[in-house]
Amino acid sequence: MAQLIAKDLCVGYEGRAVLRNLNFEISAGDYLCIAGENGSGKSTLMKTILGFIPPVSGTIMTGDGLQRNEIGYLPQQTLIQKDFPASVEEIVLSGRQGNSSSRFFYSREDRQIASKNMERMGVRNLARSCYRLLSGGQQQRVLLARALCAAEKMLLLDEPVAGLDPKVTEEMYALVAGLNREGMTIVMISHDLDMAVHDAKHILYVGKPVFYGSRQEYLKCGLSLKKAGDSV
């Protein structure tokens, strides 16, 4: 059953659409890779899915019992965020803010969930370390652990490997694929579709033309999409 349904969806800002007439469904346990050239509207689409900005037109609905607070989000990291002077544990715990019943204190359950996700991402031993002193790959693992503190059913990732070296990139993709095998629904924006497509089950290519279909369908027509004028 579909957790997310987009029908005749147009996304953009201040009434000006950058992507038009999108129709797709994301089912429980799916792995959707969103690709397209720079400036094509991928991040705008993800923010619309999250409810940060309203659709210009059309609809995007949740289904299969999915609640907005069950969706985790890993946005692109800014330079200021990379230099944030907090401990790893504090960063990961902050992912529980939307679920915490208290504005000022985290519960024992919050701390247990944070600890579990630090362990899953291999950063439990860095809990007391300063986030700003970590490598790029370690920081992304910490932010992924933070996103998982909110993600009960679905995880959205916006260019999670941007700026990482090839070895760390491969490790990050493997972590995401492992989460999907555990049952987490994955929606990921990636500039490197050639690598991401190995694990993705469906592809949404926001270029000219727009493509939505299975991994197998994309592999059959992906070359013709690139020849149409867009670069991934």
Side-chain angles (χ1 to χ4, degrees):
M1 186 173 178
Q3 289 182 326
L4 205 69
I5 304 166
K7 185 174 181 181
D8 300 328
L9 180 66
C10 296
V11 302
Y13 292 94
E14 298 179 351
R16 181 176 177 272
V18 294
L19 276 175
R20 296 175 174 83
N21 302 321
L22 297 176
N23 292 277
F24 61 89
E25 294 186 0
I26 302 172
S27 299
D30 204 351
Y31 187 150
L32 174 68
C33 182
I34 302 173
E37 65 179 0
N38 291 335
S40 60
K42 302 185 298 294
S43 294
T44 303
L45 171 59
M46 186 164 280
K47 290 174 183 176
T48 305
I49 291 173
L50 287 160
F52 295 166
I53 56 177
V56 173
S57 63
T59 58
I60 185 158
M61 302 171 291
T62 57
D64 197 20
L66 179 69
Q67 303 297 316
R68 293 288 180 180
N69 62 0
E70 295 175 322
I71 302 175
Y73 176 44
L74 177 58
Q76 294 187 45
Q77 193 176 191
T78 66
L79 290 175
I80 293 176
Q81 289 169 331
K82 289 181 180 180
D83 202 36
F84 197 69
S87 73
V88 166
E89 185 175 36
E90 288 170 331
I91 295 288
V92 176
L93 262 173
S94 68
R96 293 294 300 167
Q97 287 179 351
N99 303 80
S100 179
S101 59
S102 170
R103 179 175 297 182
F104 303 106
F105 300 102
Y106 293 109
S107 67
R108 178 179 296 180
E109 180 186 11
D110 291 332
R111 295 185 182 279
Q112 290 174 340
I113 290 172
S115 180
K116 172 187 173 183
N117 285 314
M118 284 190 287
E119 188 70 38
R120 289 170 81 185
M121 294 299 102
V123 294
R124 185 69 188 86
N125 62 319
L126 300 173
R128 302 299 181 188
S129 300
C130 183
Y131 175 78
R132 69 195 298 180
L133 300 179
L134 303 182
S135 68
Q138 288 172 327
Q139 286 188 343
Q140 283 300 85
R141 284 174 177 260
V142 171
L143 293 179
L144 190 51
R146 179 186 185 276
L148 287 170
C149 283
E152 295 184 28
K153 294 183 179 180
M154 182 180 289
L155 181 62
L156 275 60
L157 306 103
D158 191 348
E159 298 281 12
V161 300
L164 302 181
D165 66 49
K167 182 177 184 298
V168 178
T169 293
E170 187 174 346
E171 291 173 354
M172 184 60 65
Y173 278 132
L175 283 173
V176 174
L179 292 170
N180 181 242
R181 286 194 294 272
E182 291 174 11
M184 182 71 69
T185 304
I186 301 294
V187 181
M188 181 174 69
I189 293 174
S190 178
H191 68 281
D192 186 1
L193 187 54
D194 289 337
M195 178 170 285
V197 76
H198 288 294
D199 298 309
K201 298 173 183 175
H202 289 88
I203 307 295
L204 176 60
Y205 185 84
V206 289
K208 296 181 180 179
V210 170
F211 169 88
Y212 170 69
S214 68
R215 172 181 179 271
Q216 291 76 16
E217 290 169 334
Y218 173 80
L219 291 174
K220 289 180 181 178
C221 67
L223 182 60
S224 62
L225 285 172
K226 292 181 181 181
K227 286 182 178 178
D230 284 322
S231 60
V232 174

